[in-house]
């Protein structure tokens, strides 16, 4: 068992932080130790629900409204 843990840790250490988070999510899913929330399977039904034109407008509004610095307000 210790050999398996050692090998897993060695392999995980080679991964990027993002990949390590994916491994953690996968292990938590396998163990049934996920935090409370809506399962991904239920959320996938909403994929593509917002038309691409609307998404582009949202993206533009965020870029215009959030990427500005007003030095006089600080």
């Amino acid at each position: 068992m210790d050999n398996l843990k050692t090998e897993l840790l060695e392999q995980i250490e080679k991964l990027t932080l993002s990949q390590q988070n994916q491994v953690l999510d996968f292990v938590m899913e396998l163990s049934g130790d996920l935090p409370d929330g809506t399962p991904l399977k239920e959320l996938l039904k909403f994929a593509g629900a917002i038309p691409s034109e609307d998404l582009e407008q949202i993206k533009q509004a965020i870029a215009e409204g959030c990427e500005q610095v007003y030095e006089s307000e600080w």
Side-chain angles (χ1 to χ4, degrees), residues 18-49:
S18 175
Q19 290 170 322
Q20 289 176 8
N21 281 320
Q22 287 180 310
V23 170
L24 177 59
D25 290 344
F26 179 69
V27 171
M28 289 176 73
E29 186 174 332
L30 285 176
S31 68
D33 195 21
L34 290 172
D36 291 340
T38 304
L40 179 60
K41 290 178 185 177
E42 290 182 34
L43 295 175
L44 284 175
K45 65 184 174 189
F46 298 108

Side-chain angles (χ1 to χ4, degrees), residues 47-58:
I50 302 174
S52 59
E53 297 83 20
D54 292 348
L55 291 174
E56 189 57 41
Q57 287 180 345
I58 292 169

Side-chain angles (χ1 to χ4, degrees), residues 13 19 34 48 58 62 68 70-71 73:
E13 287 175 353
Q19 290 170 322
L34 290 172
I58 292 169
I62 291 171
Q68 297 180 22
Y70 300 101
E71 293 181 19
E73 292 185 11

Side-chain angles (χ1 to χ4, degrees), residues 4-21:
L4 179 59
K5 287 181 184 179
T6 301
E7 180 64 24
L8 282 169
L9 288 174
E10 287 175 4
Q11 293 302 317
I12 290 170
E13 287 175 353
K14 295 177 185 178
L15 302 174
T16 66
L17 182 58
S18 175
Q19 290 170 322
Q20 289 176 8
N21 281 320

